[in-house]
Amino acid sequence: MPIPIINSIASWVLKQRIHQIELFLKYPNEVQEELLMNLIRRAENTVIGSQYDFSSITSYNTFSERIPVSSYEDLQPLIERTRQGEQNVFWDAPIKWFAKSSGTTNAKSKFIPVSNDALEDCHYKGSKDLLCLYLNNNEASEMFLGKSLRLGGSSQIYEDKETFFGDLSAILIENMPIWAEFSSTPSNKISLMSEWETKLTAIINETKNENVTSFAGVPSWMLVLMNRLLEETGKGNLMEIWPNLEVYFHGGVSFEPYREQYKKLLPKSDFKYYEIYNASEGFFAIQDLNDSSDLLLMLDYGIFYEFIPMDTFGTSDQKAIRLAEVELFKNYAVVITTNSGLWRYLIGDTVRFTSLNPYRIRVSGRTKHHINVFGEELMVENSDQAIAKACQLTQTQVVDYTVAPIFMDGKEKGAHEWMIEFKQNPKDISQFIKILDETLQSLNSDYEAKRNNNMTLNPLILNLARKNLFYDWLKKRNKLGGQHKIPRLSNQRDYLEQLKELQ
C-alpha cells in the first residue's frame, strides 16, 4: 500500500476519536462518576472489594468515606500477592505485568500493576489520542510519511512466577500491535537493550539514515542522544540529518530548562512541541493545542481522579475532593483509582488547574520534591521557570540541577544551595544568581517574604558542577536511561552531599 494512502487512512481513523473526546469535554463530571461506578462494579468480588464491601457502594461519598487514600507501601502486600501468582486480589482480570519504578526518591523498587485493560484503554489509547489531537490541529502534517524515534527506558523484561516486570516502556513495546513497530525506530530489539551507553550507539547507527519525522522521550535524556548524534555525524543541527522532522512529543520532566537548547538543535520556525503527562500508573493528560503549556486531562481512560489541596496535604485536615470541586491555580496532590486495581492511590505528583472548562492542568512538582524548610513552599515549577529565565537572559544552557536547604545553625539564617551543571558556564555567575533569585521571588510570594531583607533566607549559594557530574551520579546508582530523573528539590541534603562528594 502506498505511504500517502497509509497516511490518509491513519489520519481518518485517529480523527474519529475526536467525537468521543468531545463527549467528556461536554460532560466531564458525569463521565468520571460513571467510570468510578464501573470500576467498583468490576472489583466487587475481589479481595479488596470484599474487604470494603464494594457491592454496597453506590455513590462517591460512600466510596471516599470507606476507602482510605493509599501510598505504595499501603498497597504493597496486596501487590506482592499478585506478583506471587494470586489473582482477583484488587482487580477482576488477571494481572501479569508490573511496571518496575523507583522514581527519584526511593532506592527500593515499586512494582506497579498493569492490567490488559490499562494497556489497551489507557496507555495505548493515550498514545493514539496524542496523534489524534496533533493531527486535528495540524491537518497538513506529513508525520506518517516517516518514522517516529522513540527513546524509552533501558530495561528488559524479567519473569518471576509467571508474572513479568520491567520499565513501563519495555512493557508497552513488548505488547504493542505489530503495525506500530513499522512506524517506529529504533527496532524493538534495540529499544529493549538494557545497557544505556551501548544502546545509545545502536540507536544512532540505526536511526541516522531513517526518515524520522517525529521523536518522543524525556527531554534530558533525548538531549544526550541528540547531542551525541550531532557529534557522530558532524552536522550542525537535527534538520540537516532529518529534514522532515516536524514534532517532538515530550514528558517525564519539565521542558522549561531545556527549551532554548532544543530551539538551537531544531532551527525550524514552525517546529512543534507537544507535551504528555504519563507514568507507570497511567496516561493522564495531553497537550491539545499548538504552542501551549497546558495539558488536557483525559477523563475516559479508566482512571478516576481526586485531588488533595497541598495547603492541607499531610495534615489532620487533609481531604480529597472530586474533579467538580477543584479551583483554578491551586496546587493539588493527585489521587487516582484505576483499571489496574489501584484504589485511591497517591501517585506523588502535584498539579494545578489552568482551566476548568475544559479541565486543563500543568504538572507543578512532586509531593516529596519541594522545599518547605523555612515556610517558603518552593515548587519544582518555580525552580524550572526561574532556571529557564536566568539561562535566557545570560545566554547560557543548563544540563541538570538540584537544590537543597542549608539549615539554620545557631544565629545563622537558612539558605538554598544549588548544584547546577551548565553546558557552558555563564560569563557572569553573580548576574545569573541575581536573576535566578529575583525570578523565584517574583514567582513565589512565600519565598519572596522569607528572602525580604534576608529575613529568614540568606542569598542562594550556587555550586558549579563539573562536566557529566549528574550523569556520573546516575551511572553510579545504575540509573542511566530514559526513565530516570534527577531529583530537583529536596527538604534534605542527601542528594546534594552525594553530588558534592563526586565533584
Side-chain angles (χ1 to χ4, degrees):
M1 188 183 290
I3 287 178
I5 296 176
I6 295 172
N7 194 40
S8 299
I9 293 172
S11 298
W12 181 84
V13 169
L14 292 166
K15 284 177 184 178
Q16 304 315 300
R17 169 66 176 140
I18 288 293
H19 302 299
Q20 294 171 309
I21 291 173
E22 286 169 350
L23 181 68
F24 77 68
L25 291 178
K26 191 173 182 181
Y27 304 106
N29 301 310
E30 292 84 349
V31 165
Q32 277 280 282
E33 296 285 323
E34 183 181 347
L35 190 154
L36 174 62
M37 288 303 130
N38 288 339
L39 293 175
I40 291 169
R41 297 286 81 83
R42 282 278 305 265
E44 279 182 8
N45 298 316
T46 62
V47 170
I48 203 167
S50 300
Q51 181 183 346
Y52 293 109
D53 192 15
F54 278 15
S55 60
S56 67
I57 296 177
T58 56
S59 70
Y60 167 74
N61 288 338
T62 311
F63 169 76
S64 62
E65 287 164 8
R66 195 175 294 177
I67 301 163
V69 171
S70 301
S71 66
Y72 180 79
E73 287 69 27
D74 297 324
L75 298 179
Q76 188 179 16
L78 292 178
I79 290 172
E80 282 305 307
R81 284 169 64 174
T82 302
R83 286 193 66 220
Q84 296 304 312
E86 186 180 349
Q87 294 297 341
N88 212 42
V89 177
F90 42 78
W91 192 236
D92 71 334
I95 292 181
K96 298 287 188 183
W97 296 92
F98 294 84
K100 185 181 178 186
S101 166
S102 59
T104 47
T105 58
N106 200 329
K108 190 175 72 174
S109 293
K110 297 177 182 179
F111 294 89
I112 307 298
V114 182
S115 67
N116 286 336
D117 299 275
L119 281 173
E120 291 300 327
D121 297 333
C122 183
H123 293 290
Y124 292 139
K125 192 174 182 178
S127 299
K128 287 184 280 191
D129 281 354
L130 173 63
L131 300 177
C132 172
L133 290 165
Y134 176 74
L135 288 171
N136 195 54
N137 293 330
N138 303 281
E139 294 195 355
S141 169
E142 295 186 344
M143 181 173 63
F144 285 113
L145 300 183
K147 291 193 173 185
S148 175
L149 191 161
R150 62 189 181 208
L151 182 62
S154 306
S155 184
Q156 55 200 56
I157 298 293
Y158 301 89
E159 184 175 356
D160 181 24
K161 294 185 173 65
E162 296 186 0
T163 63
F164 305 88
F165 66 89
D167 280 358
L168 176 68
S169 55
I171 291 172
L172 296 179
I173 289 168
E174 189 76 22
N175 288 279
M176 70 166 49
I178 192 72
W179 58 265
E181 186 170 1
F182 293 124
S183 62
S184 303
T185 188
S187 64
N188 287 358
K189 183 180 177 183
I190 290 174
S191 294
L192 293 170
M193 280 183 174
S194 56
E195 209 287 307
W196 167 251
E197 286 165 341
T198 307
K199 175 177 176 174
L200 211 57
T201 302
I203 291 174
I204 290 168
N205 289 337
E206 183 168 311
T207 61
K208 64 186 178 184
N209 297 317
E210 291 277 13
N211 175 27
V212 174
T213 52
S214 66
F215 57 107
V218 176
S220 50
W221 290 110
M222 187 62 79
L223 206 52
V224 172
L225 172 64
M226 296 307 173
N227 283 324
R228 186 79 64 87
L229 180 68
L230 292 176
E231 285 173 23
E232 293 269 332
T233 59
K235 302 293 186 183
N237 64 66
L238 295 177
M239 305 310 301
E240 293 177 20
I241 302 170
W242 299 310
N244 299 316
L245 262 182
E246 62 175 80
V247 59
Y248 172 30
F249 300 110
H250 61 87
V253 300
S254 170
F255 192 54
E256 287 310 309
Y258 305 103
R259 191 177 295 277
E260 294 303 313
Q261 295 182 62
Y262 275 94
K263 284 183 181 177
K264 289 183 171 65
L265 294 179
L266 295 155
K268 182 181 178 183
S269 59
D270 60 345
F271 190 84
K272 302 291 190 300
Y273 298 91
Y274 262 62
E275 185 172 353
I276 59 172
Y277 173 27
N278 66 338
S280 299
E281 296 87 352
F283 202 123
F284 308 127
I286 301 171
Q287 178 183 324
D288 64 317
L289 301 169
N290 287 342
D291 306 314
S292 171
S293 297
D294 299 338
L295 307 178
L296 181 67
L297 194 62
M298 307 304 285
L299 302 178
D300 63 350
Y301 285 4
I303 298 173
F304 178 77
Y305 292 97
E306 296 174 270
F307 303 89
I308 300 172
M310 281 303 288
D311 53 11
T312 61
F313 180 79
T315 72
S316 57
D317 296 326
Q318 172 179 304
K319 183 179 183 296
I321 59 174
R322 278 181 287 190
L323 191 60
E325 301 170 74
V326 299
E327 298 173 34
L328 281 176
F329 309 124
K330 281 187 72 169
N331 266 315
Y332 295 99
V334 182
V335 178
I336 59 172
T337 293
T338 78
N339 52 5
S340 281
L342 294 175
W343 297 94
R344 303 198 85 200
Y345 179 75
L346 197 61
I347 61 174
D349 289 341
T350 61
V351 302
R352 58 185 178 85
F353 284 83
T354 56
S355 164
L356 301 182
N357 184 23
Y359 288 105
R360 290 197 182 98
I361 60 172
R362 291 189 187 182
V363 182
S364 55
R366 300 276 294 166
T367 54
K368 292 182 180 178
H369 286 190
H370 63 284
I371 301 182
N372 192 31
V373 174
F374 313 104
E376 66 273 50
E377 282 289 1
L378 194 69
M379 304 293 291
V380 174
E381 184 181 37
N382 303 148
S383 59
D384 280 339
Q385 289 177 6
I387 280 270
K389 185 169 182 181
C391 284
Q392 189 177 17
L393 294 179
T394 59
Q395 295 186 310
T396 188
Q397 299 171 1
V398 162
V399 176
D400 253 316
Y401 76 90
T402 195
V403 192
I406 298 173
F407 298 104
M408 292 178 176
D409 185 9
K411 292 183 180 180
E412 189 61 36
K413 294 167 185 171
H416 288 173
E417 185 172 2
W418 292 63
M419 177 73 77
I420 304 179
E421 182 181 338
F422 293 96
K423 198 169 182 183
Q424 189 172 351
N425 288 340
K427 291 174 184 169
D428 186 341
I429 296 294
S430 59
Q431 184 196 15
F432 184 93
I433 292 172
K434 184 173 185 290
I435 295 169
L436 183 63
D437 186 50
E438 288 176 353
T439 306
L440 287 170
Q441 292 186 52
S442 72
L443 293 169
N444 185 315
S445 58
D446 292 319
Y447 178 82
E448 181 184 34
K450 302 301 179 286
R451 283 284 298 115
N452 186 31
N453 295 320
N454 300 339
M455 184 180 294
T456 307
L457 286 174
N458 281 328
L460 65 89
I461 291 172
L462 173 57
N463 297 290
L464 296 176
R466 65 167 174 81
K467 184 177 171 61
N468 292 329
L469 175 66
F470 287 92
Y471 188 92
D472 292 343
W473 182 77
L474 287 168
K475 186 175 182 178
K476 188 176 179 183
R477 282 153 185 78
N478 196 29
K479 286 192 172 189
L480 288 181
Q483 302 298 301
H484 299 296
K485 308 160 196 170
I486 296 294
R488 297 298 194 205
L489 307 181
S490 175
N491 280 323
Q492 304 298 326
R493 291 185 57 83
D494 308 22
Y495 304 124
L496 187 69
E497 294 298 345
Q498 290 165 11
L499 286 159
K500 288 174 89 168
E501 284 176 19
L502 281 180
Q503 264 282 53

